[in-house]
Amino acid sequence: MLTVTGAFDDGATYTVQITGRADRPVIGSHRAAALVELHQGETIALSPTGPMSAVAGNDEASVLAVLREYTNVLEESGDVPRHARTPRG
């Protein structure tokens, strides 16, 4: 499980764990959870140079990308997030 510490634009700080669960993508901050929920289904870059992915609660990499994009991530520790497998078609 990945632990992320960061701050919102207004200076409020948070520490969350990215769970990899669709029903509860992050635990530890209601505000961070609401942010992830707000962006579910949107396309986001997983890193500054891509690839692009749809934000999904069970996709740890896309959840981390939301936190990196919309907050100031100060620290990441724990397991490296895995990108959810998507069927090719």
Side-chain angles (χ1 to χ4, degrees):
M1 195 174 304
L2 180 69
T3 300
V4 177
T5 300
F8 294 98
D9 288 342
D10 64 3
T13 60
Y14 67 88
T15 298
V16 295
Q17 292 181 331
I18 298 177
T19 66
R21 293 175 28 200
D23 64 329
R24 199 162 179 200
V26 297
I27 54 174
S29 166
H30 294 291
R31 191 169 171 190
L35 178 68
V36 172
E37 183 176 336
L38 177 69
H39 292 285
Q40 287 218 23
E42 293 179 7
T43 303
I44 194 163
L46 299 180
S47 71
T49 59
M52 301 296 284
S53 178
V55 176
N58 63 343
D59 180 352
E60 296 164 312
S62 71
V63 171
L64 178 58
V66 167
L67 295 175
R68 286 177 176 161
E69 179 72 21
Y70 297 103
T71 71
N72 181 20
V73 172
L74 304 171
E75 184 178 346
E76 301 170 19
S77 61
D79 295 336
V80 175
R82 296 176 308 275
H83 180 61
R85 293 179 186 244
T86 55
R88 298 198 183 251

